[in-house]
Amino acid sequence: MSDHRYSSADIAVIERVIRERRDIRHFAAGKLPDGLLGRLLDAAHLGPSVGYMQPWRFVRIASGDTREALWRIVDAERVATAASLPTRAADFLKLKIDGIREAAEVLVVALMPGREAHIFGRRTLPEMDLASTACAIQNMWLLARAEGIGLGWVSFFDPDAVGELLAMPPGSRAIAILCLGPVAEFPSAPVLETQGWGSRLPMHEVLFEDRWKAGAGATPTAY
């Protein structure tokens, strides 16, 4: 056994928090415990990044007026998304897609400007700035779940509109609105799964050996 291996109990906790992480839309009243927001941001900032570029930037939404303006941007995209769905617009409009108005904290996560200068690891895959930032968000998400705090990643927005609202510099790009706060409960399964928008794919549909599996295609949509 490797000397670097964590204890079986520690490994079980890591597996549990991965398994029980949820994308939260419903929040309870209350604030985050003192110091937790800073620890969550520290966890994000410890994320891996290609070429060590650390492309993530965070904007904490402290003003009620700014939070309401952000919600209006999200709601406009909610309506536009519904209009683009071929068969389930009415079902989609019944979903709660954000907790911006109710969450204890709201953060906007953005890619920094000037990313083009970072070619280390990005010469053929420039989108690795986005992948790195997603890893940072996942760090935060897992720690939030372990702390019993809900986190929801909202992606229904026009990045240009959010950039204008937050006076972001040219070249930066908002990629996530994160809602964080206490919750009444964590669902036992992802909400989109329980409401018929998809299901967890079996491993044999996502894992291939040596080459792409003949006939394997895309994940089917539910609309």
Side-chain angles (χ1 to χ4, degrees), residues 176-193:
I177 300 170
L178 303 183
C179 303
L180 301 102
V183 298
E185 63 177 355
F186 285 90
S188 59
V191 170
L192 292 184
E193 184 171 330

Side-chain angles (χ1 to χ4, degrees), residues 27 57 95 116 203:
F27 292 88
R57 299 293 184 269
L95 292 174
E116 298 77 13
M203 185 58 68

Side-chain angles (χ1 to χ4, degrees), residues 6-25:
Y6 286 15
S7 71
S8 296
D10 287 343
I11 292 171
V13 170
I14 293 170
E15 291 178 336
R16 178 185 174 190
V17 73
I18 291 171
R19 187 171 57 249
E20 295 183 357
R21 180 204 58 81
R22 293 291 178 266
D23 194 2
I24 298 298
R25 296 293 184 260

Side-chain angles (χ1 to χ4, degrees), residues 199 201-202 205-206 208 212-222:
S199 59
L201 296 175
E205 291 191 19
V206 299
F208 314 139
W212 196 275
K213 182 179 178 181
T219 303
T221 64

Side-chain angles (χ1 to χ4, degrees), residues 61-108:
I61 306 302
S63 160
D65 289 343
T66 305
R67 189 185 285 222
E68 185 65 16
L70 193 63
W71 178 85
R72 288 196 296 269
I73 292 171
V74 169
D75 195 56
E77 179 56 30
R78 179 183 72 91
V79 174
T81 297
S84 71
L85 296 179
T87 61
R88 298 189 67 183
D91 289 340
F92 173 77
L93 288 172
K94 295 175 184 176
L95 292 174
K96 182 173 175 57
I97 64 164
D98 76 274
I100 292 174
R101 286 172 158 174
E102 302 85 17
E105 295 283 349
V106 175
L107 301 171
V108 172

